[in-house]
PDB file of all heavy atoms in Angstrom:
ATOM      1  N   LEU A 403     -24.062  30.721 -10.064  1.00 97.00           N
ATOM      2  CA  LEU A 403     -23.017  31.715  -9.793  1.00 97.00           C
ATOM      3  C   LEU A 403     -23.370  33.008 -10.513  1.00 97.00           C
ATOM      4  O   LEU A 403     -23.555  33.024 -11.728  1.00 97.00           O
ATOM      5  CB  LEU A 403     -21.649  31.190 -10.265  1.00 97.00           C
ATOM      6  CG  LEU A 403     -20.428  32.085  -9.990  1.00 97.00           C
ATOM      7  CD1 LEU A 403     -20.202  32.328  -8.505  1.00 97.00           C
ATOM      8  CD2 LEU A 403     -19.165  31.463 -10.608  1.00 97.00           C
ATOM      9  N   TYR A 404     -23.521  34.094  -9.734  1.00 96.00           N
ATOM     10  CA  TYR A 404     -23.877  35.393 -10.283  1.00 96.00           C
ATOM     11  C   TYR A 404     -22.648  36.294 -10.254  1.00 96.00           C
ATOM     12  O   TYR A 404     -22.074  36.523  -9.188  1.00 96.00           O
ATOM     13  CB  TYR A 404     -24.974  36.050  -9.436  1.00 96.00           C
ATOM     14  CG  TYR A 404     -26.291  35.302  -9.425  1.00 96.00           C
ATOM     15  CD1 TYR A 404     -26.537  34.293  -8.502  1.00 96.00           C
ATOM     16  CD2 TYR A 404     -27.292  35.614 -10.343  1.00 96.00           C
ATOM     17  CE1 TYR A 404     -27.754  33.611  -8.485  1.00 96.00           C
ATOM     18  CE2 TYR A 404     -28.511  34.936 -10.329  1.00 96.00           C
ATOM     19  CZ  TYR A 404     -28.734  33.938  -9.398  1.00 96.00           C
ATOM     20  OH  TYR A 404     -29.940  33.273  -9.390  1.00 96.00           O
ATOM     21  N   GLY A 405     -22.253  36.782 -11.426  1.00 96.00           N
ATOM     22  CA  GLY A 405     -21.078  37.632 -11.485  1.00 96.00           C
ATOM     23  C   GLY A 405     -21.359  38.963 -12.136  1.00 96.00           C
ATOM     24  O   GLY A 405     -22.503  39.287 -12.474  1.00 96.00           O
ATOM     25  N   GLN A 406     -20.293  39.740 -12.298  1.00 96.00           N
ATOM     26  CA  GLN A 406     -20.401  41.043 -12.958  1.00 96.00           C
ATOM     27  C   GLN A 406     -19.299  41.168 -13.982  1.00 96.00           C
ATOM     28  O   GLN A 406     -18.715  42.235 -14.156  1.00 96.00           O
ATOM     29  CB  GLN A 406     -20.306  42.155 -11.903  1.00 96.00           C
ATOM     30  CG  GLN A 406     -21.442  42.072 -10.887  1.00 96.00           C
ATOM     31  CD  GLN A 406     -21.325  43.085  -9.779  1.00 96.00           C
ATOM     32  OE1 GLN A 406     -20.303  43.754  -9.639  1.00 96.00           O
ATOM     33  NE2 GLN A 406     -22.363  43.227  -8.989  1.00 96.00           N
ATOM     34  N   GLY A 407     -19.004  40.051 -14.623  1.00 95.00           N
ATOM     35  CA  GLY A 407     -17.968  40.056 -15.649  1.00 95.00           C
ATOM     36  C   GLY A 407     -16.630  39.496 -15.173  1.00 95.00           C
ATOM     37  O   GLY A 407     -15.627  39.597 -15.883  1.00 95.00           O
ATOM     38  N   GLN A 408     -16.595  38.869 -14.005  1.00 96.00           N
ATOM     39  CA  GLN A 408     -15.327  38.341 -13.470  1.00 96.00           C
ATOM     40  C   GLN A 408     -14.721  37.264 -14.383  1.00 96.00           C
ATOM     41  O   GLN A 408     -15.436  36.438 -14.935  1.00 96.00           O
ATOM     42  CB  GLN A 408     -15.530  37.731 -12.071  1.00 96.00           C
ATOM     43  CG  GLN A 408     -15.689  38.751 -10.969  1.00 96.00           C
ATOM     44  CD  GLN A 408     -17.127  39.203 -10.789  1.00 96.00           C
ATOM     45  OE1 GLN A 408     -17.984  38.965 -11.639  1.00 96.00           O
ATOM     46  NE2 GLN A 408     -17.395  39.861  -9.688  1.00 96.00           N
ATOM     47  N   ILE A 409     -13.407  37.301 -14.475  1.00 96.00           N
ATOM     48  CA  ILE A 409     -12.684  36.288 -15.244  1.00 96.00           C
ATOM     49  C   ILE A 409     -11.656  35.604 -14.339  1.00 96.00           C
ATOM     50  O   ILE A 409     -11.177  36.192 -13.365  1.00 96.00           O
ATOM     51  CB  ILE A 409     -12.008  36.885 -16.497  1.00 96.00           C
ATOM     52  CG1 ILE A 409     -10.948  37.921 -16.101  1.00 96.00           C
ATOM     53  CG2 ILE A 409     -13.039  37.479 -17.442  1.00 96.00           C
ATOM     54  CD1 ILE A 409     -10.131  38.421 -17.274  1.00 96.00           C
ATOM     55  N   VAL A 410     -11.332  34.362 -14.668  1.00 96.00           N
ATOM     56  CA  VAL A 410     -10.432  33.568 -13.831  1.00 96.00           C
ATOM     57  C   VAL A 410      -8.986  34.052 -13.931  1.00 96.00           C
ATOM     58  O   VAL A 410      -8.226  33.980 -12.965  1.00 96.00           O
ATOM     59  CB  VAL A 410     -10.576  32.071 -14.181  1.00 96.00           C
ATOM     60  CG1 VAL A 410      -9.429  31.242 -13.631  1.00 96.00           C
ATOM     61  CG2 VAL A 410     -11.908  31.541 -13.633  1.00 96.00           C
ATOM     62  N   ALA A 411      -8.618  34.579 -15.108  1.00 95.00           N
ATOM     63  CA  ALA A 411      -7.235  35.040 -15.294  1.00 95.00           C
ATOM     64  C   ALA A 411      -6.831  36.029 -14.202  1.00 95.00           C
ATOM     65  O   ALA A 411      -5.702  35.985 -13.706  1.00 95.00           O
ATOM     66  CB  ALA A 411      -7.081  35.675 -16.678  1.00 95.00           C
ATOM     67  N   ASP A 412      -7.755  36.909 -13.798  1.00 95.00           N
ATOM     68  CA  ASP A 412      -7.428  37.890 -12.754  1.00 95.00           C
ATOM     69  C   ASP A 412      -7.039  37.228 -11.435  1.00 95.00           C
ATOM     70  O   ASP A 412      -6.192  37.733 -10.706  1.00 95.00           O
ATOM     71  CB  ASP A 412      -8.626  38.823 -12.502  1.00 95.00           C
ATOM     72  CG  ASP A 412      -8.756  39.876 -13.604  1.00 95.00           C
ATOM     73  OD1 ASP A 412      -7.731  40.159 -14.257  1.00 95.00           O
ATOM     74  OD2 ASP A 412      -9.866  40.377 -13.795  1.00 95.00           O
ATOM     75  N   TYR A 413      -7.695  36.104 -11.125  1.00 95.00           N
ATOM     76  CA  TYR A 413      -7.400  35.403  -9.864  1.00 95.00           C
ATOM     77  C   TYR A 413      -6.126  34.589 -10.004  1.00 95.00           C
ATOM     78  O   TYR A 413      -5.329  34.507  -9.074  1.00 95.00           O
ATOM     79  CB  TYR A 413      -8.591  34.534  -9.448  1.00 95.00           C
ATOM     80  CG  TYR A 413      -9.820  35.376  -9.167  1.00 95.00           C
ATOM     81  CD1 TYR A 413     -10.681  35.767 -10.192  1.00 95.00           C
ATOM     82  CD2 TYR A 413     -10.083  35.820  -7.872  1.00 95.00           C
ATOM     83  CE1 TYR A 413     -11.785  36.573  -9.941  1.00 95.00           C
ATOM     84  CE2 TYR A 413     -11.189  36.629  -7.609  1.00 95.00           C
ATOM     85  CZ  TYR A 413     -12.034  37.005  -8.654  1.00 95.00           C
ATOM     86  OH  TYR A 413     -13.112  37.810  -8.401  1.00 95.00           O
ATOM     87  N   ALA A 414      -5.939  34.006 -11.190  1.00 92.00           N
ATOM     88  CA  ALA A 414      -4.744  33.192 -11.425  1.00 92.00           C
ATOM     89  C   ALA A 414      -3.487  34.067 -11.389  1.00 92.00           C
ATOM     90  O   ALA A 414      -2.435  33.651 -10.915  1.00 92.00           O
ATOM     91  CB  ALA A 414      -4.861  32.467 -12.762  1.00 92.00           C
TER      92      ALA A 414
END
Side-chain angles (χ1 to χ4, degrees):
Chain A
L403 183 61
Y404 296 88
Q406 298 176 350
Q408 285 87 346
I409 63 173
V410 165
D412 283 337
Y413 297 85

